[in-house]
Amino acid sequence: MIQAPIAHPTGSATALGMIARLLEDRTGQQIAASRAWRLETTLKPLLRDHGMTTLDDLVSGLVTARDAKLSDQVVDALLNQESSFFRDAAVIDLAGDAAQALHAERQRRLRIWSAGCSNGQEPLSLAILCEERGLGEDSVEIVATDVSHGAIARAKTARFSQFEIQRGLSIRRMMTWFEGGGEDWTARRELVRRIQFRQQNLVTDPAPAGGFDMILCRNVLLYLSPELRAATFENFAKALRPGGVLVLGASETVIGQTDRFAPSDRWRGLYTLAARRD
């Protein structure tokens, strides 16, 4: 909920500021000034569902706490859940190469963390790669987290629309790894049972228990302030096992962001723990 008691807003600029602050307080994500105009469009379905007409009505509802779930719904609506199967295909394929090599070297079950997994396309893409590369269920465990309760609930269903299923998947992969057709497609059980879906806030919650051999956090950190980004990198460094790799978005980097990670000498575009300086 909004942390400070504030009188009912009288103008849309006040409402915009309140809503942006709610998102940042709850998730650490910031709304750039260039995106502020999209708030009303993004929240329009929520306004309609609650019989409201303006953002001022929405903020009034948040302040008076008429609906305990309203703040959760606002945050879920504002989070960018843009995703697709095999998004940035070269990056995800490189992660598959790294997983295959690490498993061959370590001769034990790998643990992979998909942080900010949205509706589940990324961890399912990883599960497909593992199956295709002969890494069975006893070879790789995938933990997938997202701050959005709605996204995690949806991810657990492993059900996608025809539009979603066509984004990033070849016809061969669609027919091999998904069942159904027409309007709805559902991932096969052998993929879903590889993945543990959990709600988790990267900013306020500890990392999932146990170390990880690979962490993927793609196109999430760019929404955080530099201070929160550095803190998140620190948490990743603590959760990553020695020799493990961090996978960021295709346009993201650790350079100038943290001294806990450095570019990998082995896999160009991935990152490993930096040597500690005493």
Side-chain angles (χ1 to χ4, degrees):
M1 286 296 297
I2 297 170
Q3 295 182 347
I6 297 178
H8 289 235
T10 58
S12 60
T14 303
L16 288 170
M18 292 280 285
I19 292 169
R21 196 176 82 191
L22 171 63
L23 179 66
E24 186 171 3
D25 287 346
R26 291 283 294 273
T27 71
Q29 296 194 21
Q30 298 178 319
I31 297 177
S34 60
R35 291 177 56 220
W37 65 272
R38 297 180 56 191
L39 284 179
E40 189 164 7
T41 300
T42 302
L43 292 171
K44 188 173 291 185
L46 185 62
L47 292 174
R48 183 175 60 247
D49 291 345
H50 286 269
M52 301 173 179
T53 57
T54 69
L55 294 182
D56 297 288
D57 295 336
L58 178 60
V59 170
S60 178
L62 290 168
V63 171
T64 58
R66 290 196 296 260
D67 186 341
K69 295 181 180 179
L70 184 57
S71 60
D72 292 338
Q73 294 171 341
V74 171
V75 170
D76 270 9
L78 292 177
L79 290 170
N80 183 1
Q81 299 297 351
E82 173 67 20
S83 188
S84 63
F85 290 98
F86 291 89
R87 185 179 185 183
D88 297 329
V91 176
I92 201 80
D93 283 339
L94 187 58
D97 292 341
Q100 192 169 20
L102 289 171
H103 179 263
E105 294 165 2
R106 300 183 178 195
Q107 292 296 303
R108 59 162 173 75
R109 195 181 198 197
L110 295 184
R111 298 191 76 231
I112 299 176
W113 177 14
S114 171
C117 70
S118 185
N119 297 323
Q121 288 98 323
E122 178 176 273
L124 284 169
S125 297
L126 290 169
I128 290 172
L129 283 179
C130 289
E131 289 283 348
E132 292 177 345
R133 293 166 188 245
L135 300 174
E137 288 183 55
D138 58 346
S139 300
V140 178
E141 171 190 359
I142 302 171
V143 178
T145 66
D146 198 274
V147 70
S148 168
H149 171 78
I152 289 297
R154 172 120 190 271
K156 288 180 177 179
T157 70
R159 188 168 60 248
F160 301 91
S161 68
Q162 177 72 31
F163 173 76
E164 291 171 318
I165 207 74
Q166 289 178 326
R167 297 185 66 196
L169 285 176
S170 64
I171 295 296
R172 178 184 62 81
R173 279 176 166 158
M174 286 172 56
M175 302 307 296
T176 301
W177 300 114
F178 291 82
E179 298 172 333
E183 293 301 318
D184 292 304
W185 293 73
T186 304
R188 296 180 65 90
R189 280 196 312 169
E190 55 262 45
L191 296 182
V192 179
R193 65 192 179 199
R194 283 177 169 270
I195 307 168
Q196 301 174 34
F197 288 106
R198 306 174 187 173
Q199 185 178 4
Q200 190 251 5
N201 189 319
L202 283 178
V203 173
T204 61
D205 296 336
F212 292 92
D213 302 282
M214 180 182 296
I215 298 174
L216 295 93
C217 185
R218 303 193 297 156
N219 308 304
V220 176
L221 297 177
L222 55 88
Y223 295 107
L224 303 184
S225 67
E227 295 77 17
L228 290 178
R229 202 176 305 142
T232 304
F233 277 127
E234 180 67 28
N235 290 336
F236 286 159
K238 293 176 180 177
L240 193 66
R241 290 168 172 164
V245 294
L246 172 67
V247 185
L248 301 179
S251 61
E252 295 177 303
T253 182
V254 303
I255 298 173
Q257 309 292 322
T258 177
D259 61 359
R260 297 291 273 124
F261 288 93
S264 170
D265 294 330
R266 186 173 182 184
W267 293 292
R268 185 175 182 181
L270 305 188
Y271 302 91
T272 55
L273 290 169
R276 296 304 298 262
R277 296 178 181 178
D278 298 329

